Amino acid sequence: MSVGTTMSSQPVSLETGSASMVSIARRQRLQDVFFHRITQSFSLLVLVALMGIIVSLFINAWPAFQKFGVNFIWYVEWDIINEEFGAAIAIVGTLASAGIALLIAVPLAFGIALFLTETCPTWLRRPLGTAVELLAAVPSIIYGMFGLFVFAPLFADYVQVPLQNVLGGMPLIGFLFGGSTNGFGILAAGIVLAFMVLPFVAAVMRDVFEIVPPILRESAYGLGCTTWEVVRKVVLPYTQKGVVGGVMLGLGRALGETMAVTFVIGNANRMPTSLFSPGTSIASTLANEFGEAADFHISALFALGFLLFVITFIVLGFAKWMLVRAEKAKGL
């Protein structure tokens, strides 16, 4: 009797276990589908927000584009009274200040990241890395106040005047150091931007350098490579995408920075003729004029904002193209 009961209960338990497994599999499948849809909706939300920003900028900028056409990009005049607007001055100031910032910040950030990951003593690595991260957390208005009240007077007395006295009369490059030596201008804005960009780029480079597998470094050192050879032939090829991403992050911050540039660039709506000349950028123009703008002036400012977005998109697209080309070269 007990044997028959046991044998008859086995199929029931097997059916129960099979049903339980099917139920678990169905529940897991539903969880996967739900998780997939939720993450997909988050990604699409970012895309929809981006498209909304682009469309709203273009709609508000359309009157300016309709009146000036493509000439708005290289038209130099910015006359609020007569409603004659052009973006050339702001574009030149934006690109010049951001370019100077990257020329200064990227080599310094590269050196800081290499020191923290390759040669820095263990006891100093954490406090120094924390200090770099704290610099990245400083608000831009603080950098602007520092640039206006501390940096600009020192820059005028100890950098601009000596550079103008030594290099101002030289052929070919002398014109770059002409103009007023009051501590403001394109070069001053670029240096202040470099202060801001430096911690971002250095922090990203440090993080990507740290993900290089130790066995790769140890193998290179075992073959007799120097530290520079390890960095050049092992670390940089392995972290190329991360390094370019860090540089592009810094460039994006430099292109769109507002308050720090507004304090030191000079805010003059004329084409700069030297590194010491006052100028303006797209972001500083928006910050200075948007609060008092009306009618067609607002449309021109929206057009500047749209152009800033396009410039950033082109820069990021160019960086992506460089990475794809480098990957193809490695494959060959």
Side-chain angles (χ1 to χ4, degrees):
M1 183 66 179
S2 61
V3 175
T5 304
T6 303
M7 293 179 62
S8 62
S9 64
Q10 287 180 352
V12 175
S13 62
L14 289 175
E15 292 177 1
T16 304
S18 177
S20 177
M21 292 178 63
V22 171
S23 177
I24 293 173
R26 186 182 295 111
R27 185 169 64 252
Q28 291 177 341
R29 192 179 303 111
L30 290 176
Q31 290 175 351
D32 289 341
V33 172
F34 179 74
F35 180 76
H36 172 72
R37 296 304 180 188
I38 288 294
T39 53
Q40 185 182 45
S41 64
F42 291 162
S43 302
L44 293 177
L45 180 62
V46 174
L47 183 61
V48 170
L50 180 63
M51 294 303 298
I53 293 173
I54 297 173
V55 172
S56 62
L57 283 175
F58 186 77
I59 290 175
N60 287 280
W62 176 247
F65 288 137
Q66 189 176 28
K67 179 179 179 179
F68 299 107
V70 183
N71 292 330
F72 179 78
I73 299 175
W74 51 75
Y75 189 56
V76 176
E77 189 69 26
W78 188 268
D79 188 350
I80 300 175
I81 303 300
N82 298 317
E83 293 189 341
E84 294 291 332
F85 300 105
I89 297 174
I91 291 175
V92 170
T94 300
L95 296 179
S97 58
I100 293 171
L102 283 189
L103 287 176
I104 298 173
V106 171
L108 293 176
F110 182 73
I112 292 172
L114 285 183
F115 177 73
L116 290 175
T117 57
E118 300 294 332
T119 61
C120 182
T122 305
W123 62 270
L124 183 61
R125 185 169 300 174
R126 182 175 296 274
L128 192 58
T130 303
V132 173
E133 294 173 353
L134 287 176
L135 280 175
V138 176
S140 61
I141 187 69
I142 303 301
Y143 283 104
M145 295 173 64
F146 165 78
L148 177 63
F149 296 108
V150 178
F151 174 76
L154 296 176
F155 184 68
D157 294 336
Y158 298 102
V159 177
Q160 284 186 329
V161 172
L163 282 178
Q164 192 173 79
N165 292 335
V166 175
L167 302 176
M170 295 185 64
L172 300 180
I173 64 171
F175 72 96
L176 293 175
F177 305 97
S180 177
T181 56
N182 56 9
F184 302 102
I186 298 296
L187 181 59
I191 295 176
V192 172
L193 277 178
F195 292 154
M196 300 185 60
V197 168
L198 176 62
F200 286 93
V201 182
V204 173
M205 286 187 178
R206 184 202 62 182
D207 291 339
V208 298
F209 288 167
E210 286 180 345
I211 67 173
V212 177
I215 190 172
L216 295 180
R217 286 192 176 96
E218 294 170 0
S219 300
Y221 284 123
L223 293 174
C225 294
T226 62
T227 302
W228 171 242
E229 289 174 335
V230 171
V231 171
R232 185 167 57 90
K233 298 181 180 180
V234 176
V235 175
L236 285 180
Y238 190 88
T239 60
Q240 183 180 29
K241 289 185 178 180
V243 170
V244 175
V247 174
M248 290 301 106
L249 175 65
L251 179 58
R253 178 71 186 272
L255 288 173
E257 179 52 42
T258 305
M259 296 311 300
V261 175
T262 304
F263 273 95
V264 296
I265 199 171
N267 301 308
N269 284 315
R270 61 175 183 264
M271 190 66 69
T273 56
S274 70
L275 294 175
F276 299 160
S277 297
T280 188
S281 68
I282 294 177
S284 64
T285 301
L286 295 176
N288 287 323
E289 301 182 11
F290 205 89
E292 301 177 356
D295 302 328
F296 193 74
H297 187 193
I298 293 181
S299 178
L301 294 176
F302 270 104
L304 283 181
F306 182 80
L307 289 178
L308 179 60
F309 184 89
V310 171
I311 291 172
T312 305
F313 180 80
I314 292 173
V315 169
L316 294 178
F318 179 71
K320 183 65 176 178
W321 175 78
M322 288 178 58
L323 288 176
V324 171
R325 185 176 180 182
E327 291 295 327
K328 289 182 179 180
K330 288 181 181 179
L332 294 176

